[in-house]
């Protein structure tokens, strides 16, 4: 802001008080003292001293080019454009008399014949108008900044007060959570015991049912094996059951049968109970064996062709449904070639659990205990959730209170806000103190261009730039990052984006918070030039 006003003042003074000072062509007024006509000239780098008539003689005598300020003789020389009514400036001496008007006062083309016109006053007028507008914007922006600072300070005090209240609330909630935890644990203990009793009763009942079924099955098998109904199961009676062939060699011997009976020739019902576990795993019911008997027909008979009058006159797709079903039944009934492997998997008894059904409902007393415990859990969970929300609130408040929002908290209003800029291809989104992102304008996934890192302005003006780092990685490149340059403006808006280097983005952002206090002072150097 100070530079803007100083430059504006300088332009006004130049327009009114411009005075022609006699000095060699191309020399600024503040260097006039080094060019005294009639006295030897010493190169400004001190390298040598030459007669004054060799200044601007179109021959370069000094290494620094200072003896030829008004000609193009020295490649490293510079020419001073006075530009009365506008801003004075230096141009490379190579542009002197090159046919192109570089100085608005035309002094660089004094011997080229170029048709230059002095446009300094018009340019100065336009620039003064622009500078006046900028000064007005800066003034209004700084006024808005002062309001932002006052609002931020007020908001900070409110946050601190709120922090105190929330911390008190947290303490109350912690006590409430602990009290409800005790209630919950007290309610869950009898619930747990009642559930365990109910489960144990169900398991005991299932075990009793299984045991009764097992006994009934054992008695049934005993009767099936006792072919002569003498009340004993003998070795001879077992020999008709090839499924007991333990080594599956196709021969079921008396020794193997006796081994199943526990080493004796026969057993009664009591003895059969002691060997039942060995028998029930292998035994194939005689009823199941009888049902499987038709399947033992020779393979040739099964595959015997159907008479011509039944099939030849039907295409494959037109065979009557009854015949299709008969064929499927025949395929299902195909037996194994022999009994070398006991077909235990085909005759396994249905699992007992199938008949036991689901666990019965809880009795009224147990259900009341469950409901009471559930109510205590719900109340405890709700209190815990409220406590977590308070913890999050405290963390957010602590972050906002301690965050560096500028010397006067002027940037605090940007917190939790987001600003967008739409270009021909992308939508850029800046969320100050959070992240920067880029999304294709016509659909596609969002790309993270960096998350908040730090203030990154130069020394003495650190709050003039923000740095966002560790964004989405580029293909075979670094992670994306963004530098946000802040400039003074009445509005808060993203004005432009660019990618100066691969995966490194630059964003221009205007904000009243970036406006500096107006100043009417003019530097000593500017006084000298005026």
């Amino acid at each position: 802001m100070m530079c803007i006003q100083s430059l504006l003042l300088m332009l006004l003074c130049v327009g009114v008080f411009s005075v022609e000072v006699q000095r060699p062509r191309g020399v600024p007024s503040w260097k006039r003292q080094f060019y005294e006509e009639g006295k030897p000239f010493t190169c400004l780098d001190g390298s040598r001293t030459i007669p004054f008539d060799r200044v601007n003689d179109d021959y370069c005598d000094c290494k620094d080019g200072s003896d030829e300020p008004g000609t193009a003789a020295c490649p490293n020389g510079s020419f001073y454009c006075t530009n009365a009514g506008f801003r004075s400036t230096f141009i490379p001496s190579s542009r002197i008399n090159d046919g192109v008007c570089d100085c608005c006062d035309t002094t660089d083309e004094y011997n080229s014949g170029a048709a230059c016109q002095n446009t300094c006053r018009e340019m100065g007028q336009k620039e003064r108008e622009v500078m006046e507008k900028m000064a007005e914007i800066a003034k209004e922006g700084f006024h808005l900044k002062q309001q932002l600072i006052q609002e931020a300070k007020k908001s900070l005090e409110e946050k601190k007060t709120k922090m105190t209240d929330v911390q008190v609330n947290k303490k109350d909630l912690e006590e409430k959570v602990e009290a409800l935890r005790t209630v919950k644990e007290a309610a869950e203990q009898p619930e747990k015991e009642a559930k365990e009793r109910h489960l144990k009763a169900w398991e005991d009942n299932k075990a009793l049912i299984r045991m009764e079924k097992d006994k009934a099955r054992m008695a049934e098998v005993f009767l099936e094996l006792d072919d002569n109904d003498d009340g004993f199961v003998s070795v001879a009676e077992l020999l008709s059951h090839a499924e007991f062939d333990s080594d599956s060699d196709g021969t079921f011997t008396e020794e193997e049968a006796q081994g199943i009976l526990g080493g004796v020739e026969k057993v009664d019902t009591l003895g059969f109970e002691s060997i039942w576990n060995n028998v029930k795993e292998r035994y194939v019911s005689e009823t199941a064996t009888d049902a499987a008997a038709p399947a033992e027909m020779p393979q040739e008979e099964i595959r015997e062709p159907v008479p011509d009058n039944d099939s030849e006159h039907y295409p494959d797709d037109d065979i009557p449904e009854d015949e299709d079903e008969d064929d499927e039944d025949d395929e299902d009934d195909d037996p194994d070639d022999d009994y070398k492997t006991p077909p235990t998997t085909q005759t396994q008894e249905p699992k007992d659990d199938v008949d036991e059904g689901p666990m019965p409902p809880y009795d009224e007393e147990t259900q009341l205990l469950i409901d009471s415990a559930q109510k205590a859990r719900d109340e405890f969970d709700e209190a815990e959730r409220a406590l977590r929300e308070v913890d999050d609130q405290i963390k957010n408040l602590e972050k906002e209170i301690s965050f560096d929002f500028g010397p006067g908290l002027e940037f605090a209003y940007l917190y939790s806000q987001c600003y967008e800029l739409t270009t021909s291809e992308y939508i850029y989104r800046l969320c100050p103190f959070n992240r920067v992102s880029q999304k294709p304008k016509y659909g596609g996934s969002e790309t993270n261009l960096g998350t908040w890192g730090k203030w990154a302005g130069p020394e003495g003006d650190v709050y003039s730039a923000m740095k966002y780092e560790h964004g989405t990685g580029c293909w075979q490149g670094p992670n994306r990052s963004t530098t946000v340059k802040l400039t003074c403006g009445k509005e808060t808006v993203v004005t432009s984006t660019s990618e100066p280097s691969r995966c490194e983005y630059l964003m221009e952002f205007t904000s009243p918070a970036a406006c500096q206090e107006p100043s009417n002072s003019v530097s000593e150097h500017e006084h000298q030039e005026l």
Side-chain angles (χ1 to χ4, degrees), residues 1-10 131 135 518-522:
M1 180 65 196
M2 181 177 67
C3 293
I4 293 173
Q5 290 200 332
S6 299
L7 184 56
L8 180 59
L9 181 59
M10 180 190 75
M131 298 299 290
S519 173
N520 295 323
S521 63
V522 180

Side-chain angles (χ1 to χ4, degrees), residues 296-438:
E296 296 180 8
M297 295 174 60
Q299 192 71 14
E300 293 78 13
E301 294 183 16
I302 295 174
R303 298 180 181 177
E304 185 176 355
V306 178
D308 293 344
N309 59 349
D310 289 333
S311 64
E312 285 186 354
H313 301 296
Y314 291 99
D316 291 343
D317 295 336
D318 295 332
I319 295 176
E321 291 184 3
D322 291 341
E323 294 186 10
D324 287 343
E325 292 177 0
D326 291 343
D327 291 342
E328 290 176 4
D329 292 340
D330 290 342
E331 291 175 6
D332 293 340
D333 292 339
D334 282 345
D336 293 331
D337 292 339
D338 51 49
Y339 283 95
K340 288 184 179 180
T341 303
T344 56
T345 57
Q346 297 178 4
T347 59
Q348 286 182 345
E349 297 296 327
K351 291 185 178 294
D352 292 339
D353 290 345
V354 175
D355 297 334
E356 292 165 4
M359 184 174 70
Y362 295 112
D363 58 77
E364 183 178 355
E365 182 181 356
T366 301
Q367 189 60 51
L368 286 174
L369 291 173
I370 293 172
D371 294 343
S372 176
Q374 187 59 48
K375 181 181 178 183
R377 279 190 291 270
D378 291 343
E379 292 177 350
F380 173 76
D381 291 342
E382 177 63 23
E384 262 201 334
R385 182 192 60 77
L387 181 58
R388 286 194 299 270
E389 289 179 354
V390 166
D391 282 334
D392 292 340
Q393 196 175 10
I394 289 175
K395 289 179 182 178
N396 291 333
L397 285 170
E398 287 177 342
K399 181 179 180 181
E400 289 188 53
I401 290 172
S402 62
F403 202 89
D404 182 5
F405 288 119
L409 306 177
E410 58 268 31
F411 294 99
Y413 81 103
L414 299 175
Y415 192 78
S416 299
Q417 302 297 317
C418 292
Y419 305 88
E420 291 186 350
L421 174 67
T422 301
T423 65
S424 58
E425 295 184 65
Y426 298 101
I427 298 173
Y428 292 90
R429 185 177 177 86
L430 167 65
C431 300
F433 312 113
N434 187 2
R435 67 195 297 264
V436 181
S437 62
Q438 167 191 276

Side-chain angles (χ1 to χ4, degrees), residues 36 63 82 93 102 122 144 151 176 193 224 279 292 311 321 406 410 434 438 469 471 478 482:
E36 293 187 31
K63 293 181 180 180
T82 303
S93 59
D102 297 291
E122 291 81 359
L144 292 173
E151 291 172 2
K176 182 179 180 179
E193 294 172 356
E224 289 181 1
V279 172
S311 64
E321 291 184 3
E410 58 268 31
N434 187 2
Q438 167 191 276
E469 305 167 314
T482 301

Side-chain angles (χ1 to χ4, degrees), residues 181-214:
R181 190 195 306 277
T182 302
V183 172
K184 178 178 76 74
E185 292 173 352
E188 285 177 335
Q189 185 59 34
E191 176 201 35
K192 178 183 177 183
E193 294 172 356
K195 280 185 173 181
E196 289 175 350
R197 286 195 301 270
H198 182 84
L199 180 61
K200 185 176 184 304
W202 185 45
E203 294 292 344
D204 291 346
N205 186 55
K206 288 195 296 182
L208 181 61
I209 292 172
R210 284 194 292 268
M211 185 176 67
E212 293 298 329
K213 287 182 178 181
D214 194 56

Side-chain angles (χ1 to χ4, degrees), residues 51 76 104 109 159-160 204 230 273 315 328 334 484 486 503:
N76 59 338
C104 68
E109 299 300 319
K159 286 183 175 66
K160 289 180 178 179
D204 291 346
D230 63 349
E273 184 176 351
E328 290 176 4
D334 282 345
V484 179
L486 290 95
C503 306

